[in-house]
Amino acid sequence: MADTQSFRLIGQLDIEKIPLSNINGQNIVYWSDIQQIFPGVKHLKNGDVAVTMMRDSQENIIKPDRIKHCPNVVLEVVLSTAVKHVHVDSPMSTTNPGLDDTVLHKLDGLYDQGHVTQEIVKQVLKDAQDIKDRLILIQSKTEAILTQNYELLEYTIPRLFIILPEKLTPWDPKTMLRTKFRLHFICECGEHTKAPGSKIPHHLHLANHEGYVVNKPTEFFKKYGPFLTLMLEMIKVGTSIAGHVVPPLASLKVVDILDSAQSTIDSVTSKVIEGVDYSLKYLEESRTLIQKSDGVDVDDNARMSQQDLATYFAGVEGLEGVDLRQLGSYLSANSSDNLLGNLYRMTTKDGYVKWVCRHHYRAGYQQAHTQKLRDVVMLAQGVFDEQLGSIKVTLKSSFAAAEFYEALSKAKAGVCDLDITFNWDCSRSDLEAFEKALKMSSVSILRLDLHRFQASIASNMFSISTRYEILVRIIEHANMKMIHIVLSKDFVKLSILQPKRSTHLQKLSLEITPQASDFRVLVKSLKTNNPLTTLNFKDNSIGKEGALALSGALKTNTTLTTLNFYHNSIGNEGALALSEALKTNTTLTTLKLQFNSIEKEGALALSEALKTNTTLTTLNLFDNSINYEGAQALSEALKINTTLTTLNLGANAIGPRGALALSEALKTNTTLTTLILYCNTIWNEGALALSEALKTNTTLTTLNLMETDIGDGEGALALTNVSKASRCNIAT
């Protein structure tokens, strides 16, 4: 529930928050409190509507005077004309009241000097109002961005950034398109990074990084132009919103680095100030060029109207997860750079993600506890990526687990992504201790591997119902957003693992390698759309009957994404049944059918399914004796299919004719990225055909021809040459 009401002097940007009073269960603001902050207040406005005093059932104004709380809005304060509001310096301030009064006084004196002068005065006042309106619009949009809270899943790289030119040159519209820019991320420090009791303010600032060169600038500015304009204006003018403070660039003198008695002085050079101005000018000009390219009639000398500006910023509410993920495609980075700009991912006490510089990261956490966690993870030969706030570790004893749980609990906000494997004879108390540690941590993404857990269950008389109960409690934790659990063979009653109460969980997925005796139970559970996403039937000898039963469940199941039938002797009849399921299934993305003797008939059935299936991305048919007829059938499917990215046809005796058929498909297919033809005798003829296809194919990046007899002649040379000229990595 909100505990303040926001106010803003009409025409200004500064926001004042006045605490609410709760009278008989209703939130109010006393008029005397408003008068204390805004002496001479005449009345209040909520948009175009005046805010009135509260009245009783007899329509009498209730004393003392008060107004109702108006949640999620900023009320505008109108002062009496005889009163001047006392201006309070703030990073949000964009006007100089003393100067405004002087200018208006001088302009008032010109009204007696003729009609022309009066028109000039009116235009000056109109321009001043336009500037104020523009700043208010920018302020509101910036507020929307800074107050937007991201979940860990959609926040894989920093979200705040600006651009600056690599080299500052005098502005010239004729040469502007040759300007090279670098993207610089912004540290999201603020109240959430300050240590308890700290008096040193934490201001948003540019990350300590050289930045990333912007590739494809035209596309980049078209996609991110409105967002960049807002960020540059924020850096230039300054703001103070939701615990974030950005001092005006021109007045910024100190950037706090350490939360201690010392602070590091970092004067902002004129180069940065000029770079911000240059970038804003460039964005304005590029916006005009983009509009012209879209056929819009634009006056080069006309200023963008308030309505046009509002339209330009209309869709800017912060960047979505997909926008952030696409950002890397526009930037040049070294292979060793992970596109984080020397920033670290942290989680606030409210469970939201921020990217901050190393100094503010350390300031926000207790360094001793973080160091202890580093030591414990290193001792377990795990990996702790502090920038991403992620840990991957395998625990092999109860003692190591206890140490890890304690360190994880005390480090708190330092870890948000945990990949943990239990690889020892554990007990009920171990799982309960892990659950307790999770509650005290900020982990919101969890991958829990229990696939070797069954040995300890028997030795400790650990009941099935109790095991399920503890896992359900972990799933129900309030801060959990994504959980993947690799289950032991004894966890086949998947319906029990559904949370019993509402959670914040966005994704729950399960993985299991069952025993053959559990097959019927799992097939039945698949028909109920439980959270199972990965099913591994490797070496279970379920045969064609099992494939037939499972295919029936797959026709209606909407959760399973990975199915592994490695070495199960399903034959061509089993492949035919699975193919029928693929024609209607809409979730399966990976199908592994190695060593199943599906032969050419099975390949033919699968090829027909691929012509209509729109979700499968990986198909593994290694060692299935499909021969060249099977390869030909699959090639025809590749000419139509638009989703398959990986196809493994290793050890299938496809011969030169199979390679020729696949080559023809590669000339038109635009989605396949990996083709494995390991251990297939395709000879010189097949090698030549593949090399010709790769001259026009632009998507295949991996071609595995290892142990494939292609000889040492013309075909081998052609593959070598095309490998150098194309983006495809050919392994021979």
Side-chain angles (χ1 to χ4, degrees), residues 31-223:
W31 189 254
S32 58
D33 291 339
I34 301 173
Q35 289 177 314
Q36 185 176 357
I37 303 298
F38 299 99
V41 55
K42 184 178 180 182
H43 64 269
L44 306 173
K45 295 178 67 177
N46 183 356
D48 295 330
V49 180
V51 178
T52 59
M53 297 294 179
M54 291 182 62
R55 297 174 181 270
D56 59 21
S57 59
Q58 305 300 318
E59 294 300 318
N60 297 315
I61 295 178
I62 302 175
K63 298 297 182 179
D65 294 346
R66 66 196 69 179
I67 64 169
K68 289 182 180 179
H69 173 223
C70 300
N72 303 319
V73 299
V74 179
L75 299 181
E76 293 187 309
V77 179
V78 180
L79 300 180
S80 171
T81 55
V83 179
K84 291 183 179 179
H85 178 60
V86 179
H87 178 73
V88 181
D89 287 335
S90 123
M92 289 188 297
S93 178
T94 58
T95 60
N96 186 326
L99 179 61
D100 285 350
D101 290 342
T102 301
V103 172
L104 291 174
H105 178 72
K106 295 290 185 182
L107 291 174
D108 286 340
L110 294 176
Y111 271 101
D112 295 330
Q113 299 183 20
H115 175 73
V116 174
T117 304
Q118 290 181 25
E119 291 302 316
I120 294 174
V121 170
K122 290 178 181 178
Q123 187 60 48
V124 170
L125 292 175
K126 182 179 183 301
D127 290 345
Q129 186 60 47
D130 287 345
I131 292 173
K132 284 187 177 182
D133 290 342
R134 173 187 171 89
L135 291 174
I136 290 173
L137 175 62
I138 290 172
Q139 175 79 6
S140 65
K141 286 295 182 180
T142 303
E143 182 174 4
I145 291 172
L146 292 184
T147 56
Q148 185 178 25
N149 291 312
Y150 281 79
E151 304 292 353
L152 187 61
L153 294 176
E154 56 187 350
Y155 201 7
T156 54
I157 65 174
R159 63 162 177 156
L160 301 184
F161 53 85
I162 64 170
I163 53 158
L164 294 173
E166 275 198 309
K167 294 181 180 179
L168 271 175
T169 57
W171 176 257
D172 185 355
K174 297 179 181 179
T175 61
M176 59 171 277
L177 294 179
R178 293 200 290 267
T179 305
K180 291 185 177 180
F181 287 91
R182 283 184 177 267
L183 180 144
H184 298 268
F185 287 116
I186 298 173
C187 170
E188 295 181 79
C189 55
E191 293 299 319
H192 48 276
T193 56
K194 291 171 64 175
S198 170
K199 301 297 183 182
I200 301 177
H202 286 194
H203 296 159
L204 268 70
H205 62 87
L206 297 185
N208 182 22
H209 188 270
E210 63 182 5
Y212 301 94
V213 175
V214 176
N215 292 323
K216 300 180 287 187
T218 302
E219 297 176 32
F220 177 79
F221 291 125
K222 189 172 184 178
K223 183 175 181 63

Side-chain angles (χ1 to χ4, degrees), residues 496-553:
I496 302 179
L497 286 177
Q498 296 282 9
K500 296 180 177 61
R501 58 185 176 84
S502 176
T503 71
H504 297 288
L505 204 61
Q506 297 175 4
K507 183 177 181 181
L508 170 62
S509 57
L510 306 175
E511 179 178 344
I512 191 169
T513 303
Q515 302 176 73
S517 58
D518 298 321
F519 182 78
R520 292 185 180 278
V521 176
L522 281 170
V523 168
K524 184 178 180 181
S525 66
L526 284 174
K527 295 178 180 179
T528 62
N529 285 328
N530 57 71
L532 188 66
T533 59
T534 302
L535 188 52
N536 184 2
F537 274 115
K538 182 179 179 181
D539 292 319
N540 257 302
S541 302
I542 66 169
K544 64 180 181 181
E545 294 81 6
L548 284 167
L550 190 61
S551 65

